[in-house]
């Protein structure tokens, strides 16, 4: 201190004004003077007023604040609101404000003071020693992409979605998601020239990848068009896809070849695939710009009775079905009169067909009779009061039902009943036969009143009218049906058959069956054509 005072105790006179100038030592700065008033020249004054005066001078240490601009950014510092230059001293305890400004193509990612982060691009710091300011700037790189046909690409950086062409800081981890549209799958995903592994191959599948950006980054994806492959095994067919793991209705790549094994089941014929005749075996199809549906169909082999079945002749004796020929006289039941009578075999269908492996339906009745049929045959069911067509898929529905028996006692046919007690299937190599009688269609097989199966599912040719308990058509209801629906005349069938053949079947009543919805004109045409082509007389 210079002037009127010195450090320590000083004696002053009442009313006298004293002036002094404090000077800081090197590396310090006076920050306050208590007990005196500051003058413009840096000195301080006080006037003695009769009391003791205490003068307190405070000085604080000065510390240099230094920095150097990093590549890609400039640093600026202010203290007490004023910019300072690099290396300027700052009073201990001063709060400085630091800002790092990125150059074009860069982003500031961190600002530190004495190695401690004070912010991403700016911050404040209290100086309590020599202070070094630093900043980190990183290069910005563009991330670009365009959606491929059949897919979309989305990208996030730091948890936020970005658009194509946006820039991200060097070293940023981005998340890339490629999602295929319906009917497509992802094929490849490439990021920054690097093909990614683990790409989803599912239709409309999605895949997400992480990638660290260290240069301008381009993202791309490719897709494959997909189509569904479905298959259906119609009645009487088996369809097995030979492509491992592929289920019907699933998606495959366009251009994929899918192989199937397609065959007939026992008792079926005329195998077709998508309406085209097929011999059976391996069937292959290549997907070519459209969904694929493979449908196998077949017609059932209307072969009713297994060889060895006994047919009742007109005199009550029995004859094996394999020996029945056209013109044979057999016992039939006339539902218009309610009586048994002699009928004529129209023809014995499939008599010339070779033996082959078939599913045989075995029907065991309570009276000890076992009837053996192939695919389908009709018996008169007393519980339902109609002929029922028994097949492998419905045979157990009729267990417990009563069926009509017809036995010859040496004088006449005695009608009775028996219960179906068991139905099961065996697989055997056998010959089968389908006798049909003129007009009535029915006959007695193994002492059971039965009727043949029909081609083209034309089962409506039987059970045209309702039956009374004596198995005769109910006359009142029969007449009412005829009045409602009418009957066919020969003139309507002249182009299909002779009058003699017209009389061999109850064709006139088929019009009633059509009216009731049990038969179609197409089934009649197909059946008549089949009968004309397959009448085997010997």
């Amino acid at each position: 201190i210079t002037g009127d005072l010195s450090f320590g105790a000083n004696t002053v006179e009442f009313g006298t004004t004293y002036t002094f100038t404090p000077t800081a030592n090197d590396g310090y700065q006076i920050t306050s003077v208590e007990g005196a008033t500051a003058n413009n020249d840096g000195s301080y004054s006080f006037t003695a007023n009769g009391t003791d005066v205490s003068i307190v001078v405070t000085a604080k240490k000065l510390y240099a604040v230094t920095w150097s601009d990093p590549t890609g950014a400039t640093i600026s510092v202010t203290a007490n609101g004023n910019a300072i230059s690099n290396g300027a001293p700052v009073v201990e305890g001063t709060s400085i404000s630091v800002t790092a400004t990125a150059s074009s193509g860069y982003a500031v990612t961190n600002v530190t003071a004495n190695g401690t982060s004070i912010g991403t691009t700016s911050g404040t710091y209290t100086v309590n020693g020599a202070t070094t300011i630093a900043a980190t700037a990183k290069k910005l790189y563009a991330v670009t992409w365009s959606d491929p046909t059949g897919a979309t690409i989305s990208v996030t950086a730091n948890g936020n979605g970005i658009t194509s062409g946006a820039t991200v800081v060097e070293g940023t981890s981005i998340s890339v998601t490629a999602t295929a549209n319906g009917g497509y799958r992802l094929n490849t995903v490439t990021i920054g020239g690097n093909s990614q592994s683990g790409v989803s191959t599912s239709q409309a599948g999605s895949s997400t990848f992480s990638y660290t950006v260290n240069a301008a980054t381009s993202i791309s994806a490719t897709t494959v068009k997909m189509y569904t492959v479905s298959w259906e095994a119609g009645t009487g067919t088996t369809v097995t896809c030979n492509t491992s793991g592929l289920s019907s209705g699933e998606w495959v790549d366009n251009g994929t070849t899918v192989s199937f094994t397609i065959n007939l089941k026992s008792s079926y014929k005329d195998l077709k695939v998508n309406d085209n005749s097929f011999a059976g075996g391996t069937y292959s199809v290549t997907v070519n710009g459209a969904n694929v549906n493979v449908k196998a169909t077949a017609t059932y082999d209307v072969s009713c009775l297994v060889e060895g079945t006994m047919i009742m002749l007109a005199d009550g004796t029995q004859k094996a079905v394999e020996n029945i020929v056209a013109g044979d006289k057999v016992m039939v039941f006339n539902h218009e009169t309610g009586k048994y009578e002699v009928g004529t075999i129209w023809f014995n269908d499939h008599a010339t067909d070779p033996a082959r492996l078939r599913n045989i339906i075995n029907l065991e009745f309570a009276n000890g009779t076992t009837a053996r049929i192939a695919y389908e045959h009709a018996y008169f069911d007393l519980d339902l009061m109609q002929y029922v067509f028994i097949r492998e898929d419905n045979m157990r529905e009729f267990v417990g039902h009563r069926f009509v028996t017809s036995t010859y006692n040496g004088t006449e046919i005695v009608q009775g009943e028996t219960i179906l007690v068991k139905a099961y299937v065996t697989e055997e190599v056998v010959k089968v036969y389908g006798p049909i009688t003129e007009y009535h269609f029915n006959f007695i097989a193994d002492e059971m009143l039965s009727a043949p199966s029909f081609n083209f599912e034309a089962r409506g040719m039987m059970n045209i009218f309702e039956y009374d308990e004596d198995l005769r058509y109910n006359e009142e209801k029969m007449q009412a049906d005829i009045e409602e629906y009418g009957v066919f005349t020969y003139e309507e069938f002249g182009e299909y058959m002779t009058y003699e053949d017209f009389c061999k079947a109850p064709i006139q009543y088929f019009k009633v069956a059509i009216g009731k919805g049990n038969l179609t004109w197409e089934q009649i045409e197909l059946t008549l054509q089949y009968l004309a082509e397959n009448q085997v007389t010997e």
Side-chain angles (χ1 to χ4, degrees), residues 36-49:
T37 302
N39 300 315
N40 292 333
D41 60 358
S43 64
Y44 291 84
S45 300
F46 72 94
T47 301
N49 58 8

Side-chain angles (χ1 to χ4, degrees), residues 19-49:
T19 299
F20 63 92
T21 301
T23 302
N25 296 334
D26 289 342
Y28 287 84
Q29 179 176 308
I30 294 173
T31 57
S32 67
V33 177
E34 299 177 10
T37 302
N39 300 315
N40 292 333
D41 60 358
S43 64
Y44 291 84
S45 300
F46 72 94
T47 301
N49 58 8

